Amino acid sequence: MDKLKQHIQNNLHDLNIDQPKENFWDGLTDKIIGDENSDPFKEYIEQYKDEFDLEIPGEQGWSNIASTLSRNKPVIPINAKKAGWYLAAASLVLFIVVGALLYNNRSSVTRNGDDMVKTPSKTELGVPKPLVDDAMKEVAQGSSKTNDDKEQAGQGSKKVAQTDMKNDNVVTKRKLAVQKPGNKKLPSIIIETQAEYDNLIAGQVSLIQSMPLYGESAGDFAGFIDDFKRLDNQEKQLRSAVLQKGMEDNTLDELGMIYQKKLTVLKMLQREIQRTGNTTISENDSIPVFIKL
Amino acid sequence: MNTTDYILQALVKSAGEGQLTAQEALYRQYCRAMYNVCIRMCGNEADAHDALQDGFITAFRKIYQLKDPNTFGGWLKRIIINQCIAQGKKKFVYTQLEAPVIALAHETDESWWTTITMVQIHEAIKQLPEGCRQIFVLYAVEDYTHQEIADELQISTGTSKSQYSRARLLLQQIILKKMVANG
């Protein structure tokens, strides 16, 4: 044997220096299994894919999803570009609303005999179309939708609508109707006062519900909402007392006070939303959350 | 854009704002298709319901990230599939099969599936073993490539291919066994 050949044969193992590239096996399997693009079985499945959706999920599915979603509202980051526009729009609306309220919100006091009546003048609020929530609609409009006073509320609203909305004249005082205890109808002055304040409060509620929330959830403003509901309960108790026992000297003052406090709570909530929005702008792109009172 | 697209855009926008009625409408529209994806991936009703629920909750929480509302269906399906894969990872590990199993797949009759219904294929898929079932569904039904499957499941493409071949073989065996049993 050739000495070179003998040497090579004796050291064959050391001759295997090179290795095939990595993932060579993966390429090899294509040749064993067949080209990935020519899989007639896969093509058959894709052709009749729509016939595969045979199962129907249980009815409990959506209930579980809805309860989980309503438990944990997401905190959504904001878009810096859009935030500026939203803030500018919100500031403009706030400026207009506050200006209109300050200009028109004057009380007029007149006297007729022993009666003193204070009622606010009407004002026309240019508020955006509200995101209506049934629960808040009921709260804002009070519980005037009871069977007993629905008709009177309608009559009261009709009287209110007939007055001049654009003037800053106040509603003139009316002689208080003496209500005997046990009479189930609210006095017309109560109904008219309620109707006027309802317009103001509904306008404020609509404004707040249209303001975008950035980086916060509705639960962060729960304190304001609780205050508002507490005042609403006070209003209902007062009306109930009037139905039971009739009007007292300070009933209208108390009612006016409750309505003023409601408006104050709503304005404070509005300011807090704006203040929070100013401090939580981030660069992430997102859709804002809207509060539902 | 047709009416359906407008409606979908409006629903997705409203769902992004947290409106439950819009979210429910989207759920009702997509739940059947997504549930079938889940049941093919998971193999049983309980896991499928869990994956469906978690998938929809994740989707509605992140829907604000969706740029094009018209792609909601495909986007939702990816979330659902990822949910199924995450569930599967807790239960089993993928293994690369040996070459003889791969070679065996080519010895069978390639047109056997044309003689059976999709119902039979659907039922047989549910009976496949955990690991190869998911890979089979992703490849043959959801049209993933082996590379995409490898990236999602954090396996090699070789494992994906070998498991798919195994699934095809087992599928045929399951169906034939049932046909023999039913006469």
Side-chain angles (χ1 to χ4, degrees):
Chain A
M1 192 186 281
D2 179 3
K3 281 186 181 177
L4 176 61
K5 183 177 176 180
Q6 192 171 359
H7 179 72
I8 290 170
Q9 291 295 319
N10 292 337
N11 298 284
L12 266 176
H13 178 74
D14 296 330
L15 207 57
N16 293 332
I17 301 166
D18 292 326
Q19 289 187 10
K21 59 186 174 183
E22 284 186 23
N23 301 324
F24 178 73
W25 170 246
D26 293 335
L28 196 62
T29 52
D30 281 337
K31 300 209 172 11
I32 296 172
I33 297 170
D35 185 5
E36 190 170 305
N37 291 329
S38 66
D39 186 339
F41 181 43
K42 180 180 174 181
E43 288 166 10
Y44 182 77
I45 298 251
E46 281 182 25
Q47 186 182 355
Y48 296 101
K49 201 169 159 179
D50 292 337
E51 295 179 29
F52 257 158
D53 291 346
L54 302 162
E55 312 275 352
I56 300 173
E59 278 305 309
Q60 194 63 22
W62 172 247
S63 313
N64 294 339
I65 292 169
S67 62
T68 306
L69 286 170
S70 53
R71 258 203 317 272
N72 304 313
K73 293 279 187 188
V75 176
I76 301 171
I78 60 170
N79 178 1
K81 292 178 192 174
K82 292 180 183 173
W85 286 110
Y86 283 126
L87 279 173
S91 301
L92 184 64
V93 170
L94 177 65
F95 178 74
I96 293 169
V97 167
V98 170
L101 282 174
L102 287 174
Y103 183 73
N104 292 315
N105 195 17
R106 297 178 296 184
S107 62
S108 150
V109 179
T110 58
R111 185 174 288 272
N112 183 2
D114 293 330
D115 304 325
M116 291 273 292
V117 177
K118 285 185 186 180
T119 55
S121 60
K122 292 192 251 317
T123 183
E124 190 173 350
L125 297 175
V127 294
K129 188 176 177 184
L131 298 174
V132 175
D133 177 78
D134 288 340
M136 194 53 210
K137 211 175 169 183
E138 189 182 332
V139 171
Q141 294 173 358
S143 57
S144 63
K145 302 201 191 299
T146 59
N147 292 331
D148 289 337
D149 59 4
K150 251 187 192 173
E151 190 181 336
Q152 297 174 45
Q155 290 173 358
S157 299
K158 196 177 172 185
K159 286 181 185 172
V160 165
Q162 286 170 352
T163 59
D164 185 359
M165 293 288 291
K166 293 193 178 175
N167 293 335
D168 60 353
N169 293 329
V170 301
V171 174
T172 56
K173 65 120 182 125
R174 299 178 192 277
K175 185 174 182 179
L176 285 173
V178 175
Q179 296 292 322
K180 293 180 184 174
N183 189 333
K184 295 298 177 190
K185 297 182 180 178
L186 284 175
S188 57
I189 187 61
I190 298 277
I191 295 167
E192 287 174 17
T193 306
Q194 179 186 319
E196 288 171 15
Y197 272 106
D198 277 348
N199 283 336
L200 287 172
I201 290 169
Q204 280 292 312
V205 167
S206 300
L207 177 64
I208 286 167
Q209 288 188 151
S210 66
M211 289 177 72
L213 269 181
Y214 301 108
E216 298 290 332
S217 69
D220 293 332
F221 304 97
F224 294 97
I225 297 166
D226 288 341
D227 285 340
F228 190 96
K229 287 184 178 171
R230 182 176 48 78
L231 290 165
D232 195 60
N233 285 337
Q234 287 179 7
E235 182 198 345
K236 286 176 190 172
Q237 286 168 6
L238 185 63
R239 281 209 303 271
S240 176
V242 168
L243 282 173
Q244 296 291 326
K245 304 171 190 172
M247 291 262 308
E248 295 178 3
D249 287 343
N250 61 343
T251 298
L252 269 182
D253 287 343
E254 279 184 37
L255 192 63
M257 192 81 74
I258 291 171
Y259 286 131
Q260 289 291 343
K261 283 181 182 175
K262 274 186 168 180
L263 283 169
T264 304
V265 166
L266 289 173
K267 282 178 189 171
M268 286 170 62
L269 173 58
Q270 184 184 319
R271 258 186 246 127
E272 183 64 17
I273 290 171
Q274 284 202 307
R275 185 190 69 79
T276 309
N278 281 334
T279 61
T280 57
I281 295 173
S282 79
E283 292 179 2
N284 292 327
D285 187 0
S286 71
I287 300 172
V289 177
F290 291 86
I291 198 169
K292 302 240 192 272
L293 295 175
Chain B
M1 229 173 17
N2 56 31
T3 309
T4 312
D5 291 338
Y6 282 120
I7 293 171
L8 178 61
Q9 279 195 2
L11 280 175
V12 170
K13 182 174 181 290
S14 299
E17 292 166 3
Q19 290 189 28
L20 212 58
T21 47
Q23 290 171 349
E24 183 175 2
L26 287 172
Y27 169 80
R28 297 283 174 211
Q29 184 173 346
Y30 288 97
C31 68
R32 180 163 180 167
M34 295 303 124
Y35 179 66
N36 280 275
V37 170
C38 291
I39 208 153
R40 283 192 290 268
M41 290 284 283
C42 301
N44 64 81
E45 286 187 12
D47 289 347
H49 275 112
D50 287 343
L52 183 76
Q53 182 174 315
D54 293 342
F56 267 102
I57 288 171
T58 302
F60 288 141
R61 284 180 174 162
K62 293 186 177 178
I63 198 169
Y64 62 90
Q65 296 176 355
L66 186 60
K67 307 287 182 189
D68 181 6
N70 290 323
T71 61
F72 175 77
W75 177 79
L76 173 66
K77 185 183 268 193
R78 286 207 82 97
I79 291 175
I80 296 284
I81 287 174
N82 289 343
Q83 197 64 47
C84 296
I85 291 171
Q87 274 191 343
K89 280 181 180 173
K90 296 176 193 171
K91 292 186 177 181
F92 52 85
V93 178
Y94 297 94
T95 53
Q96 173 111 25
L97 298 172
E98 294 175 359
V101 178
I102 301 170
L104 194 61
H106 279 267
E107 293 175 9
T108 61
D109 179 8
E110 288 294 321
S111 61
W112 58 269
W113 56 83
T114 58
T115 61
I116 56 175
T117 64
M118 298 307 282
V119 175
Q120 287 172 302
I121 295 176
H122 175 79
E123 292 299 325
I125 287 173
K126 290 195 283 183
Q127 295 178 46
L128 287 172
E130 300 271 10
C132 68
R133 182 182 63 244
Q134 285 207 349
I135 290 171
F136 178 86
V137 170
L138 287 173
Y139 181 77
V141 183
E142 303 305 331
D143 201 24
Y144 279 48
T145 63
H146 283 299
Q147 186 59 54
E148 286 171 334
I149 294 170
D151 293 338
E152 287 287 344
L153 303 180
Q154 292 167 341
I155 56 175
S156 68
T157 53
T159 302
S160 176
K161 289 171 185 173
S162 61
Q163 288 286 353
Y164 171 70
S165 291
R166 177 182 175 230
R168 273 181 60 167
L169 185 64
L170 289 173
L171 202 73
Q172 184 184 8
Q173 290 173 355
I174 291 167
I175 290 171
L176 287 175
K177 217 182 262 183
K178 210 163 195 173
M179 285 170 74
V180 166
N182 292 338

